Amino acid sequence: MDEIAAALGDGARWRIVELLAERPRSVGELAELTGLRQPQTTKHLQTLARAGLVTVFPLGQRRVYALEAAPLTGLERALRLLVETVEANADERDVVERYRAAIDAETAVAERDRWADGRAFTFDRTLAAPREVVWRHWVEADLLGSWLAPPSMTITDCALEPRPGGRAVLDYRDPEGRRYRSAGKVGAATEPGHLAFDLAVLDESGAVSFTGHYDLTLDPVRDGTRLRLGLTITDTSVEAVPYIAGIGTGWGQVLDNLAARIGGTATKEAQS
């Protein structure tokens, strides 16, 4: 398939294929119709032949080339599958588009430090698991690391130690090797129903971009556990725009990760 795609990726060869789709033709005829010299036309036909796209028929002193439909049918199936995959994952593209729009919107209002202080977010999920299980996924580092990273990111360190003054940290890196760091501490912890913690998002120099104040409650419900995560931000710098713009989408994605891991559905997601 790679060889077929490469062979068809040249404009002159594509024109030759279009002409051969109508009927078999000789090198001379193809050269005349494409405006190429015969040696060039022959080289293009050789490339198409190596990819299995054309067959040559010696007819006395003439050589006539014919197009083979089977490789094109295979390419058609591959392209159809590709289109279906794109359509099935349209939400992923929507996430990127919404994030880009959010960055533009936040940039327009981020004129000075503390521009977003006091902004609050609320996320809700109903999870099909006992709250003791959900609690463990927040306070045990291995389980926390299994769902907390956004798509394409890799967690390098994470912890929420469930005691006042406990360590709160989230470090991860992207595929290009850039590091993203957050650090803070736990303010309150009541197993298995309540966890309050702060996380300051740090820039490359270690300065605070903004601080998130989180309040997590886990309540038993008929179908499992209702998770409610409140977030209020302070200490926002002008440079925090990409982080602030991504809060809604980012937390929505990682909580979806958690729901997928232990079972559950999104009930609502609010921002104020």
Side-chain angles (χ1 to χ4, degrees):
M1 194 58 63
D2 290 345
E3 193 172 11
I4 292 171
L8 293 174
D10 180 90
R13 288 196 289 271
W14 182 262
R15 178 56 180 151
I16 289 172
V17 167
E18 288 180 323
L19 291 168
L20 291 178
E22 298 172 354
R23 60 179 176 82
R25 299 178 189 270
S26 68
V27 175
E29 185 180 3
L30 290 168
E32 181 179 351
L33 291 170
T34 59
L36 298 170
R37 296 194 303 272
Q38 286 202 21
Q40 290 177 298
T41 305
T42 298
K43 287 183 179 180
H44 285 312
L45 287 166
Q46 289 171 344
T47 299
L48 293 169
R50 284 194 297 270
L53 288 163
V54 300
T55 300
V56 59
F57 294 95
L59 300 177
Q61 294 184 357
R62 298 178 64 230
R63 296 170 67 84
V64 174
Y65 288 83
L67 188 63
E68 294 292 336
L72 295 174
T73 301
L75 180 62
E76 179 188 26
R77 287 195 297 267
L79 291 173
R80 187 182 305 118
L81 179 60
L82 189 61
V83 170
E84 291 172 356
T85 302
V86 171
E87 292 174 345
N89 294 281
D91 288 348
E92 297 297 328
R93 179 185 176 90
D94 290 343
V95 166
V96 174
E97 291 178 346
R98 289 198 304 271
Y99 182 39
R100 179 67 259 174
I103 289 176
D104 291 342
E106 300 293 5
T107 299
V109 299
E111 298 178 349
R112 57 185 179 274
D113 287 345
R114 298 189 176 276
W115 57 278
D117 280 17
R119 191 177 300 185
F121 302 78
T122 302
F123 303 94
D124 282 275
R125 294 290 188 276
T126 298
L127 304 173
R131 65 176 180 166
E132 291 79 8
V133 173
V134 180
W135 175 264
R136 289 178 53 221
H137 278 76
W138 280 86
V139 301
E140 296 183 14
D142 288 347
L143 294 177
L144 182 64
S146 71
W147 63 268
L148 192 54
S152 78
M153 301 294 186
T154 301
I155 287 182
T156 54
D157 188 16
C158 65
L160 286 174
E161 298 175 348
R163 55 179 174 78
R167 180 172 173 255
V169 62
L170 172 60
D171 283 12
Y172 55 89
R173 57 178 172 78
D174 63 22
E176 289 72 41
R178 287 183 291 266
R179 184 184 178 193
Y180 302 84
R181 298 180 296 152
S182 300
K185 63 181 180 179
V186 173
T190 304
E191 183 178 355
H194 179 241
L195 188 68
F197 58 96
D198 296 338
L199 274 176
V201 175
L202 309 177
D203 63 18
E204 293 181 357
S205 68
V208 174
S209 289
F210 77 92
T211 300
H213 306 276
Y214 296 86
D215 192 86
L216 171 71
T217 57
L218 303 175
D219 294 314
V221 294
R222 179 178 179 181
D223 296 326
T225 301
R226 182 188 178 189
L227 177 155
R228 181 180 176 88
L229 179 67
L231 164 60
T232 303
I233 59 178
T234 62
D235 308 322
T236 47
S237 67
V238 172
E239 293 75 16
V241 164
Y243 301 114
I244 303 300
I247 286 176
T249 298
W251 271 106
Q253 287 179 318
V254 297
L255 290 175
D256 285 346
N257 291 346
L258 175 61
R261 184 169 180 83
I262 63 177
T265 58
T267 55
K268 68 176 181 178
E269 184 174 311
Q271 174 180 334
S272 62

mmCIF file of all heavy atoms in Angstrom, residues 47-68:
data_model
loop_
_atom_site.group_PDB
_atom_site.id
_atom_site.type_symbol
_atom_site.label_atom_id
_atom_site.label_comp_id
_atom_site.label_asym_id
_atom_site.label_seq_id
_atom_site.Cartn_x
_atom_site.Cartn_y
_atom_site.Cartn_z
ATOM 1 N N THR A 47 7.674 2.891 -12.742
ATOM 2 C CA THR A 47 7.329 3.059 -11.333
ATOM 3 C C THR A 47 5.933 2.524 -11.042
ATOM 4 O O THR A 47 5.709 1.823 -10.041
ATOM 5 C CB THR A 47 7.396 4.546 -10.938
ATOM 6 O OG1 THR A 47 8.729 5.020 -11.131
ATOM 7 C CG2 THR A 47 6.998 4.753 -9.483
ATOM 8 N N LEU A 48 4.996 2.822 -11.912
ATOM 9 C CA LEU A 48 3.631 2.319 -11.739
ATOM 10 C C LEU A 48 3.587 0.805 -11.845
ATOM 11 O O LEU A 48 2.830 0.140 -11.123
ATOM 12 C CB LEU A 48 2.708 2.957 -12.778
ATOM 13 C CG LEU A 48 2.471 4.471 -12.626
ATOM 14 C CD1 LEU A 48 1.758 5.023 -13.856
ATOM 15 C CD2 LEU A 48 1.665 4.770 -11.364
ATOM 16 N N ALA A 49 4.417 0.246 -12.726
ATOM 17 C CA ALA A 49 4.451 -1.207 -12.896
ATOM 18 C C ALA A 49 5.003 -1.878 -11.643
ATOM 19 O O ALA A 49 4.508 -2.928 -11.214
ATOM 20 C CB ALA A 49 5.283 -1.577 -14.120
ATOM 21 N N ARG A 50 6.057 -1.286 -11.031
ATOM 22 C CA ARG A 50 6.629 -1.879 -9.807
ATOM 23 C C ARG A 50 5.617 -1.878 -8.665
ATOM 24 O O ARG A 50 5.653 -2.758 -7.803
ATOM 25 C CB ARG A 50 7.879 -1.099 -9.399
ATOM 26 C CG ARG A 50 9.105 -1.402 -10.243
ATOM 27 C CD ARG A 50 10.366 -0.871 -9.591
ATOM 28 N NE ARG A 50 10.358 0.572 -9.475
ATOM 29 C CZ ARG A 50 10.831 1.392 -10.401
ATOM 30 N NH1 ARG A 50 11.347 0.899 -11.529
ATOM 31 N NH2 ARG A 50 10.790 2.706 -10.237
ATOM 32 N N ALA A 51 4.724 -0.915 -8.676
ATOM 33 C CA ALA A 51 3.687 -0.859 -7.649
ATOM 34 C C ALA A 51 2.501 -1.754 -7.988
ATOM 35 O O ALA A 51 1.549 -1.839 -7.201
ATOM 36 C CB ALA A 51 3.203 0.581 -7.478
ATOM 37 N N GLY A 52 2.548 -2.404 -9.132
ATOM 38 C CA GLY A 52 1.470 -3.297 -9.536
ATOM 39 C C GLY A 52 0.278 -2.603 -10.129
ATOM 40 O O GLY A 52 -0.778 -3.222 -10.325
ATOM 41 N N LEU A 53 0.433 -1.334 -10.461
ATOM 42 C CA LEU A 53 -0.698 -0.563 -10.959
ATOM 43 C C LEU A 53 -0.919 -0.695 -12.455
ATOM 44 O O LEU A 53 -2.033 -0.452 -12.936
ATOM 45 C CB LEU A 53 -0.504 0.923 -10.603
ATOM 46 C CG LEU A 53 -0.690 1.266 -9.120
ATOM 47 C CD1 LEU A 53 -0.076 2.621 -8.800
ATOM 48 C CD2 LEU A 53 -2.176 1.254 -8.760
ATOM 49 N N VAL A 54 0.127 -1.021 -13.202
ATOM 50 C CA VAL A 54 -0.034 -1.195 -14.646
ATOM 51 C C VAL A 54 0.646 -2.487 -15.092
ATOM 52 O O VAL A 54 1.572 -2.978 -14.449
ATOM 53 C CB VAL A 54 0.547 0.002 -15.443
ATOM 54 C CG1 VAL A 54 -0.133 1.295 -15.059
ATOM 55 C CG2 VAL A 54 2.047 0.100 -15.265
ATOM 56 N N THR A 55 0.150 -2.991 -16.194
ATOM 57 C CA THR A 55 0.728 -4.173 -16.841
ATOM 58 C C THR A 55 1.068 -3.800 -18.276
ATOM 59 O O THR A 55 0.299 -3.087 -18.936
ATOM 60 C CB THR A 55 -0.260 -5.350 -16.835
ATOM 61 O OG1 THR A 55 -0.572 -5.678 -15.485
ATOM 62 C CG2 THR A 55 0.345 -6.570 -17.523
ATOM 63 N N VAL A 56 2.229 -4.286 -18.770
ATOM 64 C CA VAL A 56 2.647 -3.985 -20.134
ATOM 65 C C VAL A 56 2.375 -5.195 -21.018
ATOM 66 O O VAL A 56 2.629 -6.345 -20.632
ATOM 67 C CB VAL A 56 4.138 -3.587 -20.193
ATOM 68 C CG1 VAL A 56 5.033 -4.691 -19.646
ATOM 69 C CG2 VAL A 56 4.537 -3.216 -21.620
ATOM 70 N N PHE A 57 1.836 -4.923 -22.193
ATOM 71 C CA PHE A 57 1.563 -5.967 -23.164
ATOM 72 C C PHE A 57 2.391 -5.693 -24.417
ATOM 73 O O PHE A 57 2.127 -4.723 -25.143
ATOM 74 C CB PHE A 57 0.076 -5.992 -23.536
ATOM 75 C CG PHE A 57 -0.828 -6.375 -22.413
ATOM 76 C CD1 PHE A 57 -1.428 -5.398 -21.633
ATOM 77 C CD2 PHE A 57 -1.079 -7.713 -22.125
ATOM 78 C CE1 PHE A 57 -2.270 -5.740 -20.592
ATOM 79 C CE2 PHE A 57 -1.923 -8.062 -21.087
ATOM 80 C CZ PHE A 57 -2.519 -7.088 -20.307
ATOM 81 N N PRO A 58 3.417 -6.520 -24.709
ATOM 82 C CA PRO A 58 4.160 -6.370 -25.983
ATOM 83 C C PRO A 58 3.257 -6.800 -27.129
ATOM 84 O O PRO A 58 2.743 -7.923 -27.147
ATOM 85 C CB PRO A 58 5.341 -7.316 -25.812
ATOM 86 C CG PRO A 58 5.418 -7.608 -24.337
ATOM 87 C CD PRO A 58 4.004 -7.559 -23.854
ATOM 88 N N LEU A 59 3.047 -5.917 -28.080
ATOM 89 C CA LEU A 59 2.239 -6.214 -29.259
ATOM 90 C C LEU A 59 3.120 -5.977 -30.484
ATOM 91 O O LEU A 59 3.141 -4.899 -31.063
ATOM 92 C CB LEU A 59 0.991 -5.312 -29.310
ATOM 93 C CG LEU A 59 0.028 -5.407 -28.128
ATOM 94 C CD1 LEU A 59 -1.109 -4.411 -28.287
ATOM 95 C CD2 LEU A 59 -0.511 -6.828 -27.981
ATOM 96 N N GLY A 60 3.867 -7.010 -30.852
ATOM 97 C CA GLY A 60 4.833 -6.835 -31.923
ATOM 98 C C GLY A 60 5.920 -5.891 -31.461
ATOM 99 O O GLY A 60 6.576 -6.106 -30.432
ATOM 100 N N GLN A 61 6.122 -4.811 -32.207
ATOM 101 C CA GLN A 61 7.132 -3.836 -31.821
ATOM 102 C C GLN A 61 6.574 -2.748 -30.900
ATOM 103 O O GLN A 61 7.317 -1.886 -30.450
ATOM 104 C CB GLN A 61 7.716 -3.188 -33.090
ATOM 105 C CG GLN A 61 8.488 -4.170 -33.963
ATOM 106 C CD GLN A 61 9.128 -3.481 -35.152
ATOM 107 O OE1 GLN A 61 8.965 -2.283 -35.364
ATOM 108 N NE2 GLN A 61 9.872 -4.250 -35.942
ATOM 109 N N ARG A 62 5.298 -2.811 -30.625
ATOM 110 C CA ARG A 62 4.679 -1.824 -29.747
ATOM 111 C C ARG A 62 4.549 -2.389 -28.333
ATOM 112 O O ARG A 62 4.485 -3.591 -28.125
ATOM 113 C CB ARG A 62 3.288 -1.430 -30.259
ATOM 114 C CG ARG A 62 3.288 -0.783 -31.635
ATOM 115 C CD ARG A 62 1.874 -0.466 -32.070
ATOM 116 N NE ARG A 62 1.235 0.524 -31.213
ATOM 117 C CZ ARG A 62 0.030 0.384 -30.669
ATOM 118 N NH1 ARG A 62 -0.669 -0.728 -30.885
ATOM 119 N NH2 ARG A 62 -0.481 1.340 -29.922
ATOM 120 N N ARG A 63 4.519 -1.495 -27.373
ATOM 121 C CA ARG A 63 4.281 -1.877 -25.985
ATOM 122 C C ARG A 63 3.084 -1.054 -25.505
ATOM 123 O O ARG A 63 3.114 0.177 -25.513
ATOM 124 C CB ARG A 63 5.509 -1.599 -25.118
ATOM 125 C CG ARG A 63 6.715 -2.443 -25.523
ATOM 126 C CD ARG A 63 7.980 -1.988 -24.812
ATOM 127 N NE ARG A 63 7.942 -2.230 -23.375
ATOM 128 C CZ ARG A 63 8.270 -3.395 -22.816
ATOM 129 N NH1 ARG A 63 8.634 -4.430 -23.591
ATOM 130 N NH2 ARG A 63 8.229 -3.555 -21.506
ATOM 131 N N VAL A 64 2.061 -1.751 -25.084
ATOM 132 C CA VAL A 64 0.831 -1.100 -24.624
ATOM 133 C C VAL A 64 0.666 -1.347 -23.126
ATOM 134 O O VAL A 64 0.851 -2.476 -22.650
ATOM 135 C CB VAL A 64 -0.393 -1.640 -25.389
ATOM 136 C CG1 VAL A 64 -1.681 -1.065 -24.805
ATOM 137 C CG2 VAL A 64 -0.276 -1.286 -26.866
ATOM 138 N N TYR A 65 0.324 -0.287 -22.421
ATOM 139 C CA TYR A 65 0.168 -0.375 -20.963
ATOM 140 C C TYR A 65 -1.311 -0.317 -20.597
ATOM 141 O O TYR A 65 -2.083 0.469 -21.150
ATOM 142 C CB TYR A 65 0.913 0.772 -20.281
ATOM 143 C CG TYR A 65 2.411 0.607 -20.332
ATOM 144 C CD1 TYR A 65 3.132 1.001 -21.472
ATOM 145 C CD2 TYR A 65 3.107 0.046 -19.268
ATOM 146 C CE1 TYR A 65 4.501 0.852 -21.526
ATOM 147 C CE2 TYR A 65 4.495 -0.109 -19.327
ATOM 148 C CZ TYR A 65 5.179 0.298 -20.458
ATOM 149 O OH TYR A 65 6.540 0.132 -20.516
ATOM 150 N N ALA A 66 -1.684 -1.166 -19.629
ATOM 151 C CA ALA A 66 -3.067 -1.207 -19.153
ATOM 152 C C ALA A 66 -3.080 -1.051 -17.632
ATOM 153 O O ALA A 66 -2.176 -1.518 -16.939
ATOM 154 C CB ALA A 66 -3.728 -2.531 -19.548
ATOM 155 N N LEU A 67 -4.123 -0.424 -17.147
ATOM 156 C CA LEU A 67 -4.250 -0.172 -15.708
ATOM 157 C C LEU A 67 -4.857 -1.393 -15.018
ATOM 158 O O LEU A 67 -5.783 -2.018 -15.538
ATOM 159 C CB LEU A 67 -5.141 1.048 -15.474
ATOM 160 C CG LEU A 67 -5.232 1.585 -14.045
ATOM 161 C CD1 LEU A 67 -3.884 2.085 -13.565
ATOM 162 C CD2 LEU A 67 -6.270 2.704 -13.971
ATOM 163 N N GLU A 68 -4.322 -1.714 -13.834
ATOM 164 C CA GLU A 68 -4.848 -2.815 -13.032
ATOM 165 C C GLU A 68 -5.789 -2.265 -11.969
ATOM 166 O O GLU A 68 -5.421 -1.368 -11.194
ATOM 167 C CB GLU A 68 -3.707 -3.583 -12.364
ATOM 168 C CG GLU A 68 -2.794 -4.303 -13.329
ATOM 169 C CD GLU A 68 -3.491 -5.460 -14.018
ATOM 170 O OE1 GLU A 68 -4.489 -5.982 -13.452
ATOM 171 O OE2 GLU A 68 -3.058 -5.850 -15.117
#
